[in-house]
Amino acid sequence: NKNIQNDRKYIKNTNVRVGLPAVCFVWQIAMVVLFGVFIRYDEESDTHWVEFRRENNITSDIENDFYFRYPSFQDVHVMIFVGFGFLMTFLKRYSYGGVGFNFLIAAFGLQWALLMQGWFHSLNPETGKITIGVESLINADFCCAGSLIAFGALLGKVSPVQTLVVALFGVTLFAVEEYIILDLLHCRDAGGSMVIHCFGGYYGLAISWVLYRPNLHLSKRFHGAVYHSDLFAMIGTLYLWMYWPSFNSAITDHGDGQHRTAINTYLALASSVLTTVAISSMSKKGGKLDMVHIQNATLAGGVAMGTAAEFMIQPYGALIVGFCVGIISTFGYLFVTPFLEKYLKLQDTCGVHNLHAVPGMLGGFIGAITAAAATEAVYGAEGLRNTFDFEGEFENRTPGTQGGFQAAGTCVSIAFGLVGGVCVGFILRFPIWADPGDDNCFDDEVYWELPEDEEIVPPVLEYNNHMIHKHQEISESNFSVDQS
């Protein structure tokens, strides 16, 4: 009887047949209503573009922002849906959940982000409308990225309804902290080291800490990778790695700002690969590499370069940043993640602490130091104004003061992530979300219809068996000939 009671303690009702459709339908209908009330095309996507072009002496349709931003939007969009999605397929029995729930979060999140960011950044007080264009779509994808990063810390331990709740509050918190950091503090953070990675990482970690599962070891059989799942996750890594220069430079200023951001990100990413491989090899007997390190820490250079990439950090500076964060991130996977789980009761499935939270925080402070060190001799008077947008009420701000505000912005993102994550974590602890039991985590079978398992013979064995049968046939044939 005692054993039966212990078993029942871990059994949970994971049926989402009512809850998930209800949330999806109600929230999507709410999006339709809110878009109908607030969202309209901006002047570059409206049919009045022809008049706007004439009034502003624009000579060609090529000068429409679509043609400048859309290639970057495509790259960012691929990162959000393919890169993040496939990076989360490393668990042996949770590939559907990794890529499928990533898809769900992003599809809902981008709609809510267009509204939230619109209310803070582009609401016309006269008409009460929000106008959107291609840059709005990029920013909405950025906003989703924060929630997707948080999902990485919770991967395999939450229900699909809970993922939508994480996205709802994550996008809301993101829009507020982004407004404080970029508008009120006037920080520069084109690639989102602060507003995306640092916030998203600590937001997910705080939720995971509140949702600590003392009996998660009951799902240990599923908490790991197999050969093909690691290979699929590596596809996500390569997509993210290739397109990260576009991610960091997508909304930077036309001209030198975007050009410089892509170069610096490109170099930091390359540098972090070599140091990741070096530390991974040093950590194992025989110098073998760990796929977890290669999938994740190789991307840390792009995260840490998000803030400073548009500054004059110089190419060698970008290499130094990538060099250092590759080492720090790999050490995080080796030592920090086990420490956090053992002593702080923090279960971080994807290791977002090492790929997003810490590199994002470091990226924010690197940006602060680089901004504070900016001089007119290096940037030029006009270059300094353009890079840091020293105009209007901020025209008298000095680089030293800007550096201080950049550091303050990093602290704001950490605070929003931790406090917001704790609050959302307590909401997700209510027993109404149909989350999996401690013995059912990391398993797609809980929320997905799976194909029936087929008995698959490994190719080598199949070949050997075929050859054995072939030899038997030959022997039998020879025997029959001899007998005759």
Side-chain angles (χ1 to χ4, degrees), residues 49-336:
W49 158 251
V50 178
E51 300 162 19
F52 179 84
R53 202 181 81 179
R54 185 170 54 249
E55 291 168 2
N56 290 272
N57 297 319
I58 298 173
T59 57
S60 170
D61 283 335
I62 294 297
E63 295 185 55
N64 189 301
D65 204 36
F66 175 85
Y67 297 101
F68 180 76
R69 299 288 184 192
Y70 191 73
S72 295
F73 164 71
Q74 285 180 303
D75 293 351
V76 172
H77 217 46
V78 168
M79 287 181 70
I80 295 298
F81 288 92
V82 180
F84 277 105
F86 275 88
L87 185 62
M88 296 185 194
T89 61
F90 68 95
L91 291 170
K92 66 180 78 171
R93 289 275 294 178
Y94 206 72
S95 294
Y96 285 16
V99 74
F101 295 151
N102 182 93
F103 194 10
L104 177 65
I105 291 170
F108 165 69
L110 66 87
Q111 298 176 71
W112 182 229
L114 286 169
L115 285 161
M116 285 300 304
Q117 291 180 310
W119 285 324
F120 278 103
H121 296 287
S122 57
L123 182 66
N124 187 321
E126 296 179 0
T127 63
K129 304 298 181 186
I130 298 165
T131 55
I132 62 170
V134 67
E135 190 169 341
S136 309
L137 307 186
I138 296 172
N139 281 315
D141 276 2
F142 282 171
C143 196
C144 291
S147 296
L148 296 177
I149 291 165
F151 174 54
L154 309 170
L155 187 69
K157 301 175 295 183
V158 290
S159 72
V161 181
Q162 285 177 309
T163 65
L164 288 170
V165 174
V166 169
L168 176 71
F169 288 103
V171 167
T172 305
L173 289 165
F174 181 98
V176 177
E177 59 108 19
E178 180 190 45
Y179 176 73
I180 293 171
I181 293 170
L182 301 186
D183 287 45
L184 300 184
L185 299 181
H186 195 66
C187 297
R188 304 293 288 178
D189 190 28
S193 287
M194 296 184 285
V195 298
I196 299 173
H197 301 286
C198 188
F199 163 75
Y202 285 111
Y203 176 58
L205 291 170
I207 296 173
S208 185
W209 178 71
V210 175
L211 298 181
Y212 174 70
R213 291 173 175 264
N215 297 296
L216 192 61
H217 62 273
L218 296 173
S219 294
K220 189 176 181 180
R221 66 196 185 280
F222 298 134
H223 191 196
V226 290
Y227 191 85
H228 69 269
S229 66
D230 261 341
L231 187 60
F232 269 105
M234 194 64 198
I235 293 171
T237 298
L238 292 175
Y239 269 103
L240 291 169
W241 197 92
M242 289 188 300
Y243 289 135
W244 217 294
S246 295
F247 187 91
N248 283 355
S249 65
I251 57 169
T252 48
D253 293 335
H254 293 208
D256 68 290
Q258 189 164 44
H259 198 163
R260 186 168 56 253
T261 303
I263 292 171
N264 287 334
T265 307
Y266 176 91
L267 294 172
L269 284 163
S271 184
S272 63
V273 172
L274 272 73
T275 51
T276 297
V277 170
I279 299 300
S280 183
S281 178
M282 287 170 61
S283 68
K284 302 293 181 181
K285 290 182 179 179
K288 293 184 178 181
L289 299 173
D290 189 330
M291 200 57 162
V292 172
H293 306 154
I294 308 306
Q295 288 164 356
N296 295 281
T298 52
L299 301 170
V303 175
M305 209 66 235
T307 300
E310 63 177 327
F311 303 159
M312 291 286 285
I313 196 170
Q314 299 301 338
Y316 71 86
L319 289 174
I320 292 171
V321 170
F323 184 99
C324 294
V325 295
I327 295 172
I328 293 168
S329 182
T330 310
F331 271 118
Y333 282 99
L334 287 168
F335 304 112
V336 180

Side-chain angles (χ1 to χ4, degrees), residues 243-452:
Y243 289 135
W244 217 294
S246 295
F247 187 91
N248 283 355
S249 65
I251 57 169
T252 48
D253 293 335
H254 293 208
D256 68 290
Q258 189 164 44
H259 198 163
R260 186 168 56 253
T261 303
I263 292 171
N264 287 334
T265 307
Y266 176 91
L267 294 172
L269 284 163
S271 184
S272 63
V273 172
L274 272 73
T275 51
T276 297
V277 170
I279 299 300
S280 183
S281 178
M282 287 170 61
S283 68
K284 302 293 181 181
K285 290 182 179 179
K288 293 184 178 181
L289 299 173
D290 189 330
M291 200 57 162
V292 172
H293 306 154
I294 308 306
Q295 288 164 356
N296 295 281
T298 52
L299 301 170
V303 175
M305 209 66 235
T307 300
E310 63 177 327
F311 303 159
M312 291 286 285
I313 196 170
Q314 299 301 338
Y316 71 86
L319 289 174
I320 292 171
V321 170
F323 184 99
C324 294
V325 295
I327 295 172
I328 293 168
S329 182
T330 310
F331 271 118
Y333 282 99
L334 287 168
F335 304 112
V336 180
T337 296
F339 174 86
L340 292 175
E341 182 163 356
K342 185 176 181 180
Y343 295 104
L344 298 185
K345 309 301 182 187
L346 204 165
Q347 297 155 331
D348 179 7
T349 308
C350 290
V352 300
H353 176 269
N354 314 308
L355 175 55
H356 298 282
V358 170
M361 177 186 66
L362 292 174
F365 289 126
I366 290 166
I369 294 168
T370 310
T375 62
E376 202 169 296
V378 174
Y379 286 76
E382 193 171 351
L384 203 62
R385 284 195 302 273
N386 289 339
T387 302
F388 297 103
D389 201 18
F390 289 156
E391 296 175 349
E393 62 180 301
F394 304 104
E395 63 180 345
N396 295 321
R397 181 176 286 187
T398 64
T401 305
Q402 181 67 29
F405 277 101
Q406 295 280 151
T410 306
C411 296
V412 169
S413 67
I414 296 171
F416 262 81
L418 291 176
V419 176
V422 168
C423 295
V424 174
F426 279 112
I427 293 172
L428 295 180
R429 288 190 67 173
F430 291 135
I432 59 172
W433 307 112
D435 53 313
D438 287 351
D439 60 338
N440 251 349
C441 294
F442 317 118
D443 187 5
D444 273 332
E445 194 170 6
V446 179
Y447 299 112
W448 296 87
E449 285 286 343
L450 301 182
E452 292 183 11

